Amino acid sequence: MKSNIIAKITGGQVPNGKVRVSGAKNAATRLLAASLISDDQVTLYNFPTELVDANYKFDFIRKSGGGVDVDSTKESVRIDPSSLENRILEDYNFPIRTTYLLVPGLIKKAGQARIPYPGGCKIGNRGYDLHIMVWEKMGAKVEELDDYIQVTTQDGFHPAEIDFPISTIGGTESALICASIAEGVTTIKNAYISPEIECLIDFLKGLGAKIEVVGNSFVKVTGRKHLQGSIFEVMPDRIEALTWIVLGILTGGDILVEDVPFSAMDIPLIHLKEAGIDYYHNSKSVRVSPECLSNGVIQPFELATGTHPGIISDMQPFYTLLGLHADGISRVFDYRYPERVKYCEELEKMYSKGLKWEKGAITTYGKKNKKPVGAHVKSTDLRGSMALVMAGLLAEGETTVENVEMALRGYNKLEEKLKSLGVTLRIE
């Protein structure tokens, strides 16, 4: 996908209809990489096939000799890792954030892995030190070369005791997949057990690894040399589900959101209830309509984001939007990622004097029936970009969102889903 894509949005569009939540971005791309350690074919259903990060991984796997068959209509991917090789590629500029998860499959098949630097370049902070720690603890030699990271083992990964200095999602994912191909018992301390990691654990257990979780931070993995194939369904995306629910609340639309992963988002939904939003639901879906506001307004609130099972930081911009439309002052704190406030400067262009922010804290000054004003804004991050798109739909006049590819990359079939709700974006 090219960069600096512009979306022009006419405000006042009210979505109506039903929308189905796609497979979770943060689960699907991990399962794709984990599929490479299998000795047989793997088929993943409910896979968000149009995500940019997934397509770059498809490309890397194919160029490394693996087979990938994608069916966008059925939203399925079949992976055949049997011919995977440690090839030297002509180009390692793959803008993939989680390249490190490609290592275990290549180690199993070839004893050595050459992977792109995370994000396609190695400029700035080394955000992969914990992955290097995992590989080295499990007996690998790691070299950071000009174009790629090279990981080499003599006879595969060995069991180890891994004690992370901080709770880490990426490190936990990396350790789980590596440990599944290390014959013997590996222990992982200070692990981060999110719903997407629970999904990964279920998948790895289906391949044949034995995994025991104690509490929410200790994991014991008994790896195996041979791992069988699998047919597995990707969990629905909890962040996307919240996005559609909040969009319906703010626009006054009537939306049926299907495939909501309730068990993965109990607390985020409780906070909606406490803000006076009495949505309708059954076991799999949520219906949002104007009648959901108990007394006609969104109640002001105060909340803090953090780790699961609470409200995760990726959900923060959507609660900020809710606060801007609440009837009073609301506060959103983010202790885990306090720097996630850059998008607020762009929202301020649409909500004049509507919010104040500093590292880790956002205050909104909401008013009943307040409407933002269309403006020219620029995306700063994936979820912040989607918040700008939503604000554009609520605004009076037209809004131009630069770099909207950030939102398009994180939401499978976004334009198609909006169109099904009667909402159009002009993409340029």
Side-chain angles (χ1 to χ4, degrees), residues 6 17-18 27 55 80 84 138 162 189 230 245 249 256 265 273 294 298-300 310 316 325 360 379 407 411:
I6 293 174
K18 62 182 179 179
N55 278 274
D80 183 356
L84 199 67
M138 302 187 77
I162 299 167
K189 299 178 180 178
S230 176
I245 293 169
I249 293 165
L256 179 66
M265 50 191 302
K273 292 277 191 181
S294 302
I298 299 168
Q299 300 297 324
Q316 182 230 95
H325 290 267
S379 303
Y411 289 84

Side-chain angles (χ1 to χ4, degrees), residues 122-425:
K122 56 176 181 176
I123 298 171
N125 184 42
R126 288 166 88 239
Y128 47 89
D129 283 358
L130 293 179
H131 304 283
I132 291 177
M133 183 195 85
V134 170
W135 300 329
E136 290 180 339
K137 284 267 190 181
M138 302 187 77
K141 177 184 177 183
V142 181
E143 299 172 86
E144 297 176 79
L145 304 177
D146 288 341
D147 297 323
Y148 52 81
I149 301 172
Q150 182 168 288
V151 185
T152 308
T153 65
Q154 290 295 322
D155 52 356
F157 285 128
H158 298 162
E161 181 177 297
I162 299 167
D163 190 355
F164 289 117
I166 59 171
S167 179
T168 163
I169 290 179
T172 301
E173 293 166 340
S174 193
L176 282 167
I177 302 172
C178 290
S180 294
I181 59 171
E183 287 190 272
V185 177
T186 294
T187 57
I188 306 169
K189 299 178 180 178
N190 209 11
Y192 187 134
I193 308 298
S194 69
E196 292 80 12
I197 287 179
E198 289 175 343
C199 185
L200 174 62
I201 288 172
D202 288 343
F203 174 75
L204 293 171
K205 288 165 73 173
L207 297 185
K210 183 179 178 182
I211 303 176
E212 301 172 65
V213 179
V214 179
N216 62 357
S217 64
F218 181 87
V219 185
K220 183 167 73 172
V221 184
T222 304
R224 293 181 56 185
K225 185 174 183 180
H226 178 82
L227 294 169
Q228 63 195 17
S230 176
I231 297 174
F232 192 83
E233 185 168 323
V234 181
M235 67 170 286
D237 195 313
R238 55 183 169 146
I239 304 169
E240 182 189 345
L242 181 71
T243 304
W244 295 121
I245 293 169
V246 170
L247 179 65
I249 293 165
L250 296 180
T251 57
D254 191 332
I255 301 178
L256 179 66
V257 185
E258 299 178 318
D259 285 354
V260 175
F262 288 100
S263 63
M265 50 191 302
D266 285 340
I267 293 176
L269 292 175
I270 286 172
H271 278 276
L272 294 185
K273 292 277 191 181
E274 292 183 348
I277 300 162
D278 188 18
Y279 56 83
Y280 311 97
H281 72 93
N282 59 21
S283 61
K284 292 189 67 175
S285 303
V286 166
R287 184 180 175 188
V288 183
S289 69
E291 291 76 20
C292 290
L293 294 181
S294 302
N295 61 353
V297 296
I298 299 168
Q299 300 297 324
F301 55 86
E302 186 170 304
L303 59 84
T305 70
T307 58
H308 179 77
I311 297 171
I312 59 173
S313 185
D314 277 347
M315 295 176 173
Q316 182 230 95
F318 309 118
Y319 287 96
T320 299
L321 270 181
L322 277 175
L324 284 164
H325 290 267
D327 192 26
I329 298 173
S330 298
R331 293 180 176 84
V332 178
F333 300 96
D334 194 331
Y335 302 119
R336 189 165 178 85
Y337 295 103
E339 301 285 347
R340 191 192 283 267
V341 292
K342 291 182 180 179
Y343 72 94
C344 292
E345 184 175 341
E346 302 301 310
L347 275 181
E348 172 70 14
K349 296 175 183 177
M350 305 176 73
Y351 295 86
S352 179
K353 299 180 181 179
L355 67 168
K356 292 182 180 179
W357 63 94
E358 57 185 338
K359 286 184 180 180
I362 301 166
T363 302
T364 60
Y365 302 90
K367 291 182 181 178
K368 182 180 178 181
N369 300 324
K370 181 179 181 180
K371 284 189 176 294
V373 177
H376 190 113
V377 294
K378 187 173 182 178
S379 303
T380 59
D381 64 280
L382 193 165
R383 307 301 171 184
S385 179
M386 189 61 196
L388 294 175
V389 170
M390 295 163 70
L393 292 173
L394 295 164
E396 294 180 339
E398 186 168 91
T399 296
T400 299
V401 183
E402 286 191 44
N403 296 120
V404 76
E405 70 274 5
M406 291 186 183
L408 297 176
R409 285 176 173 174
Y411 289 84
N412 190 52
K413 301 181 179 180
L414 177 60
E415 290 177 85
E416 179 182 320
K417 290 181 178 181
L418 285 171
K419 189 175 180 180
S420 74
L421 294 172
V423 173
T424 58
L425 307 179

